[in-house]
Amino acid sequence: QQDVAAKGESVNINTADAKTLDEGLLGVGPAKAQAIIDWRKQKGPFKTVAGLMAVKGMGASLIERNKDRLSVR
């Protein structure tokens, strides 16, 4: 699969599966991708990209690095 950002596409953190999160985001491996999905299943959809900071392992710098790749819709 090609880099989603290279194609001008973003990763919807509310609908993406673990593989898409892992491959489409910088610094997000399988464990963090699964943590995003687990958080989403427990708490519901993210209202903002900044909401990712509630997920263990997702800090401000990681979100900043991926800001152009992330979307909530």
Side-chain angles (χ1 to χ4, degrees):
Q1 181 180 351
Q2 291 184 358
D3 182 352
V4 292
K7 296 189 293 182
E9 297 175 12
S10 60
V11 175
N12 183 323
I13 57 175
N14 286 321
T15 60
D17 60 18
K19 183 174 192 249
T20 302
L21 291 166
D22 178 11
E23 294 178 356
L25 301 176
L26 299 171
V28 175
K32 284 183 189 162
Q34 190 57 52
I36 292 169
I37 290 171
D38 292 344
W39 192 96
R40 195 170 69 197
K41 284 180 181 172
Q42 292 174 358
K43 313 243 193 248
F46 293 95
K47 292 178 176 49
T48 65
V49 168
L52 270 177
M53 292 206 342
V55 178
K56 184 176 181 178
M58 295 296 294
S61 62
L62 187 59
I63 293 168
E64 178 66 22
R65 191 175 349 154
N66 286 289
K67 69 180 182 191
D68 295 333
R69 299 166 180 260
L70 296 166
S71 75
V72 291
R73 51 186 148 141

